Amino acid sequence: MAAAAPARAADLEAGRQKSEPCKACHGADGNASIPGTPSLAGQPVFFTHWQLIKFRDGRRKDPQMTPFAANLTDADMADLAAFYAAQRPTPRPAVTDPPKVAAGQELAQQHHCVSCHRPGLVGHEQIPRLAGQDLAYLVKLLRAFKAQTAGDLDGTMTTAAQPLSEEDIQNLAHYMATLPPTPSR
Amino acid sequence: MPRITLTLLVVAVALVLGFGPLVQAQQPAPPPTWKQGQPPSMADSPLAPIAQPPGPKAPGEIPVDKIKVPAGFKVALWASGINNARVMTWGDRGTLFVSSRVAGNVYAVLDKGSTREVKVIAKGLNMPNGVAFKNGTLYIAEISRITKMVGIEDKLDNPPPMDVVYETLPKDLPHGWKYLAFGPDGKLYFNIGAPCNICIPPDTHANISRVNADGTGFEYVAHGVRNSVGFDWHPVTKELYFATHARDWLGEDMPSDRFDVASKKGLHFGFPYCHQGDILDPEFGKGKSCNDYVKPLLKTGPHVAGNGVEFYTGSMFPSEYQNRAFLAQRGSWNRTQKIGFRVMMVTLDAKGGVAKYEPFAEGWLQGDQVWGRPVYTQQMKDGSLLIADDYAGAIYRVSYQR
């Protein structure tokens, strides 16, 4: 058979060990506390794995994150994704503004965010959980998708962000940050 | 219209609009492409495109024995570990080049007798679905550009730069990935899909187009083609045959995907006004007539997602297989009863009509469970047939024993 990439079942325990270098930024159990750094706990397996592939291939770039993905193998990514998916997400502390939250809720319906991110914005397969994610990070990513610099998988999220104004982005982020971070499925 | 005008039009639209045709600032967003045209009564439908797994399946997880082929044929796992394997094309010296879509990679697969070696020759590309090879050069089509790697087979471990052949193409991502192939006229053919599920596309979209191998002479070949990501030329008549994905959300059994022949340049195949040759679109078909558009040569089935098209010209399979078309159908998502996930074959009669449409390989769908998605085929020199599976990241080889 092909010599490259001998895929195999993901190993949760191996994932825990491989997550050692990630702790400093993403937290021991995938719940980060640094503003602007995403929590990974409870994210769908496909989502985390695909994001790591994109960082490794240079399709997604971040000065802090890129070096940590550069040398991961496909098996490492599968283990890490399985480990983080199994961790219980906790809400990120955020000061949210009720009128913005209400406006954001409306926008999330109007812009079909729930079609892809699922009701409650809990994520599914390659699509991330947004509920309870860090407010500053959500704003940063929405701006990047709007600017077409986020390098998404198949263009769907870049397309979805095009009509959003800066005010919409703030309102949506406030709404998403207040939702309970239920793990996807 | 003269060629130069058409080219300029494409340039203008690509430059001015970018993502533009889809969305305008400050308007509510349209639903995601795959949800457009969904009737309100189906708003809570759980149907959504099947997610592409982030990695290939291990050989042990690929149940090749479930693939059923006609008596006398045999299926083997030929290569695995090729994330999101899509289009296959042969180099002059026997390298199999394999594309991917969301994985962003192009691979070179070397046949080492009993095993295969897989090298990644390009990564981080923008959905490089199209690959074609000619005179030592590999051509790669991403969303909005066609590039080439000259002398690639000498440099698999240190690939040459990707020189631009043609880059004035729309940047829309929905249906923006391309199939790419050299026609018998030596020109490079590719699709520019509709940037939507259903919409009046800009004049620059929903077609099959071509350029010369040096990127000059852009022209449209076929219009009203929603998205064709597979075509081939008949070995005898040299006419262009192509598969098209039909729109979603008109129901379980409507409309059918199609298999067509473009007997001359400039024909219109109906999108978005008329589907499957006989159904007017409920929104865009008003005041139109299906008789104004080319009817399908064959209705291939609703939501089957026909990708690969390849005429058989090898010497291994029984003689009745000569000039039959293999149609790889990646399978449905917009249907509660899944359909497709198979390779069909079409036998044409002497007048070019369809004499027979029957399964060649199936079994990737077991009950409601999908374990693989056949997406393109490619003959080997010995006349056996390779089938790429982008879901399992694998390539199978179908052979025949007399």
Side-chain angles (χ1 to χ4, degrees):
Chain A
M1 277 313 97
R8 52 155 185 63
D11 180 340
L12 239 147
E13 198 35 53
R16 180 187 305 281
Q17 286 160 22
K18 291 171 184 175
S19 74
E20 264 319 298
C22 325
K23 271 179 166 174
C25 297
H26 293 289
D29 58 352
N31 286 295
S33 52
I34 309 166
T37 300
S39 288
L40 309 176
Q43 285 292 15
V45 172
F46 279 15
F47 170 72
T48 300
H49 193 155
W50 268 124
Q51 297 311 308
L52 291 171
I53 291 177
K54 289 195 308 175
F55 280 120
R56 186 180 61 187
D57 290 352
R59 276 194 285 169
R60 184 173 173 181
K61 295 187 179 77
D62 180 78
Q64 283 182 286
M65 182 54 214
T66 299
F68 288 90
N71 297 318
L72 295 177
T73 64
D74 291 352
D76 294 341
M77 293 183 183
D79 294 343
L80 285 161
F83 166 70
Y84 285 119
Q87 307 308 306
R88 211 173 60 82
T90 54
R92 300 287 292 262
V95 185
T96 51
D97 180 6
K100 288 186 179 162
V101 171
Q105 177 164 17
E106 197 130 302
L107 286 164
Q109 290 301 327
Q110 195 184 331
H111 289 278
H112 309 277
C113 311
V114 287
S115 303
C116 291
H117 290 274
R118 291 290 161 105
L121 302 179
V122 297
H124 174 65
E125 302 203 297
Q126 83 281 26
I127 301 169
R129 163 178 72 81
L130 305 171
Q133 185 58 282
D134 176 58
L135 180 75
Y137 175 71
L138 291 168
V139 169
K140 178 166 80 170
L141 265 271
L142 282 176
R143 285 178 181 156
F145 282 116
K146 161 101 186 172
Q148 305 185 7
T149 56
D152 59 352
L153 209 51
D154 53 8
T156 51
M157 186 55 219
T158 297
T159 307
Q162 291 316 296
L164 303 179
S165 65
E166 175 60 24
E167 190 188 354
D168 293 343
I169 288 175
Q170 294 291 338
N171 291 342
L172 281 163
H174 277 249
Y175 169 60
M176 295 186 281
T178 55
L179 289 173
T182 318
S184 102
R185 276 202 297 165
Chain B
M1 234 193 281
R3 284 177 202 180
I4 183 76
T5 320
L6 292 174
T7 312
L8 286 174
L9 191 60
V10 175
V11 177
V13 169
L15 289 180
V16 173
L17 297 179
F19 283 89
L22 288 174
V23 280
Q24 289 164 353
Q26 310 307 321
Q27 299 277 310
T33 312
W34 60 266
K35 229 175 155 59
Q36 281 166 21
Q38 184 190 54
S41 61
M42 293 188 78
D44 293 330
S45 166
L47 295 177
I50 299 172
Q52 171 64 38
K57 285 194 154 92
E61 297 174 328
I62 301 175
V64 191
D65 55 328
K66 294 224 155 66
I67 304 171
K68 297 285 168 269
V69 282
F73 289 85
K74 202 177 81 189
V75 188
L77 183 61
W78 188 75
S80 62
I82 308 175
N83 199 14
N84 196 214
R86 301 266 301 188
V87 178
M88 300 168 284
T89 190
W90 290 106
D92 295 336
R93 284 192 251 137
T95 310
L96 184 73
F97 293 98
V98 183
S99 76
S100 68
R101 195 167 64 101
V102 288
N105 297 330
V106 178
Y107 309 90
V109 181
L110 299 168
D111 193 351
K112 303 266 165 176
S114 58
T115 63
R116 252 59 61 188
E117 187 187 348
V118 181
K119 296 176 193 281
V120 176
I121 57 163
K123 61 179 183 177
L125 304 184
N126 196 5
M127 298 207 226
N129 187 65
V131 284
F133 196 94
K134 191 149 200 147
N135 298 337
T137 299
L138 178 69
Y139 294 77
I140 300 172
E142 297 173 74
I143 294 287
S144 64
R145 62 172 196 166
I146 300 169
T147 53
K148 63 179 178 184
M149 287 182 172
V150 179
I152 175 69
E153 279 186 295
D154 290 325
K155 303 174 194 161
L156 292 177
D157 290 315
N158 186 16
M162 296 171 68
D163 301 330
V164 171
V165 174
Y166 192 73
E167 59 180 348
T168 41
L169 286 162
K171 293 191 165 52
D172 306 275
L173 289 160
H175 299 148
W177 52 94
K178 307 209 153 13
Y179 185 72
L180 183 72
F182 277 100
D185 52 7
K187 291 175 192 274
L188 270 172
Y189 286 68
F190 51 88
N191 56 298
I192 303 177
C196 56
N197 170 36
I198 181 75
C199 61
I200 304 268
D203 286 348
T204 44
H205 293 59
N207 59 57
I208 296 176
S209 302
R210 67 185 173 201
V211 289
N212 297 321
D214 64 0
T216 60
F218 176 93
E219 57 186 347
Y220 296 118
V221 176
H223 301 274
V225 179
R226 180 175 174 273
N227 195 29
S228 172
V229 280
F231 36 83
D232 196 9
W233 289 263
H234 191 279
V236 179
T237 68
K238 309 290 183 210
E239 285 175 325
L240 172 66
Y241 283 74
F242 61 98
T244 309
H245 290 228
R247 67 157 293 184
D248 295 310
W249 300 117
L250 275 192
E252 289 276 286
D253 296 317
M254 276 204 301
S256 176
D257 281 6
R258 29 193 308 175
F259 180 52
D260 281 284
V261 54
S263 50
K264 59 179 183 200
K265 202 181 101 176
L267 298 174
H268 196 295
F269 291 81
F271 183 84
Y273 315 109
C274 172
H275 309 295
Q276 66 169 48
D278 54 16
I279 305 172
L280 286 175
D281 188 83
E283 190 179 353
F284 300 107
K286 298 206 175 84
K288 304 282 178 182
S289 162
C290 280
N291 294 330
D292 291 341
Y293 310 105
V294 182
K295 309 265 182 201
L297 176 66
L298 173 71
K299 295 179 187 174
T300 48
H303 309 294
V304 297
N307 275 41
V309 171
E310 186 181 21
F311 285 101
Y312 187 74
T313 55
S315 53
M316 179 187 277
F317 294 1
S319 59
E320 63 268 26
Y321 279 75
Q322 278 302 309
N323 301 342
R324 275 187 185 172
F326 289 111
L327 306 187
Q329 300 177 342
R330 191 165 170 258
S332 66
W333 64 265
N334 194 234
R335 196 171 194 268
T336 54
Q337 289 281 100
K338 290 193 176 73
I339 181 175
F341 307 94
R342 63 193 179 189
V343 178
M344 298 294 283
M345 63 184 160
V346 177
T347 310
L348 298 174
D349 62 25
K351 289 186 190 133
V354 172
K356 227 171 172 189
Y357 176 53
E358 64 201 308
F360 176 68
E362 51 191 347
W364 287 274
L365 174 65
Q366 296 284 323
D368 196 34
Q369 293 302 307
V370 171
W371 65 266
R373 307 185 79 179
V375 62
Y376 288 100
T377 63
Q378 181 61 254
Q379 279 178 61
M380 298 187 80
K381 277 212 177 64
D382 66 0
S384 56
L385 189 76
L386 297 178
I387 302 173
D389 172 346
D390 67 349
Y391 191 83
I395 298 174
Y396 316 96
R397 176 172 175 260
V398 185
S399 57
Y400 180 77
Q401 233 161 25
R402 263 164 247 278

